[in-house]
Amino acid sequence: CALPIFLLLGWGLAVLGLAGPAWERLPEPVHRRGDALVVVLDLSSSMLAGDLSPSRLARARFKLEDLLATRRDAYTGLVVYAGDAHVVTPLSDDTGTVAAMLPALDPTIMPVPGSDPVAALRLALELLRGADTPAGRVLLVADALDGNQARTMADLLRGSGATLAVLGVGTTEGAPVPLAGGGFARDASGGIAIPRLDLAGMRRAADVAGADFRQISVDDADLRA
């Protein structure tokens, strides 16, 4: 799938500004390709909740900036999802391009509301296969994952050669989701919705999917793990 045209244009400008002349690029060393990682970022509306200051999404972006800084020339790609999934950057050793795209990522750019990490994992695995790095890794950065989704993800991962890690974003206390026009998102009963991180549920779901799970931390303990 393709992202909205303005985001694709921005990505193209970032590539032109950061990639440099094509004839100066050398064949990629094997060890760079062997460390292939696709980051899958949740852009559902609940990621705007403010239980992590200034928001779950902002904290996730900061964490990914830290991650990209440690990877330098390693092969890295980025997929985002809400009710559907889209490739932001394919696998490349240019982590600067991936980092340049992070500020533009927001739930408002997603054409379909909801939360479908399964569709995002499918795209991530396609990127790994297409770059001839099927044994790479996928990092899911999200604030929700249920058992049914995890079982389907386990089926997708089985035999793929890829491994999955899950980084849970949010707190068990939760917080309201602000709306662009003012006020807060409401639940089906008309009350203010308070999305909470189901820490135990996400941990169980990650186990079902065969994934390592960590909750986002203020230091780099999560990335080290």
Side-chain angles (χ1 to χ4, degrees), residues 115-128:
S115 180
D116 190 353
V118 173
L121 178 61
R122 285 196 180 96
L123 275 185
L125 295 178
E126 288 175 11
L127 287 182
L128 291 171

Side-chain angles (χ1 to χ4, degrees), residues 61-137:
R61 288 199 207 105
F62 297 154
K63 187 63 65 174
L64 292 181
E65 288 173 357
D66 292 342
L67 172 64
L68 292 169
T70 68
R71 289 184 58 76
R72 293 194 178 96
D73 296 333
Y75 256 42
T76 308
L78 177 61
V79 171
V80 296
Y81 73 93
D84 58 0
H86 304 270
V87 174
V88 178
T89 58
L91 279 162
S92 159
D93 67 334
D94 186 359
T95 53
T97 295
V98 183
M101 298 305 297
L102 293 177
L105 302 180
D106 184 270
T108 58
I109 71 171
M110 302 303 290
V112 180
S115 180
D116 190 353
V118 173
L121 178 61
R122 285 196 180 96
L123 275 185
L125 295 178
E126 288 175 11
L127 287 182
L128 291 171
R129 288 192 297 267
D132 197 24
T133 56
R137 295 176 292 162

Side-chain angles (χ1 to χ4, degrees), residues 80-214:
V80 296
Y81 73 93
D84 58 0
H86 304 270
V87 174
V88 178
T89 58
L91 279 162
S92 159
D93 67 334
D94 186 359
T95 53
T97 295
V98 183
M101 298 305 297
L102 293 177
L105 302 180
D106 184 270
T108 58
I109 71 171
M110 302 303 290
V112 180
S115 180
D116 190 353
V118 173
L121 178 61
R122 285 196 180 96
L123 275 185
L125 295 178
E126 288 175 11
L127 287 182
L128 291 171
R129 288 192 297 267
D132 197 24
T133 56
R137 295 176 292 162
V138 179
L139 172 63
L140 173 64
V141 182
D143 66 1
L145 180 66
D146 66 38
N148 290 332
Q149 293 167 336
R151 281 185 283 275
T152 304
M153 294 168 86
D155 291 340
L156 291 173
L157 289 164
R158 192 173 297 114
S160 70
T163 58
L164 175 67
V166 179
L167 184 64
V169 183
T171 67
T172 54
E173 294 79 15
V177 177
L179 299 175
F184 298 97
R186 301 200 169 253
D187 58 26
S189 64
I192 294 177
I194 308 288
R196 295 176 171 85
L197 181 69
D198 181 2
L199 194 56
M202 282 195 75
R203 196 180 300 278
R204 287 194 300 271
D207 286 342
V208 168
D212 187 25
F213 176 82
R214 293 291 186 277

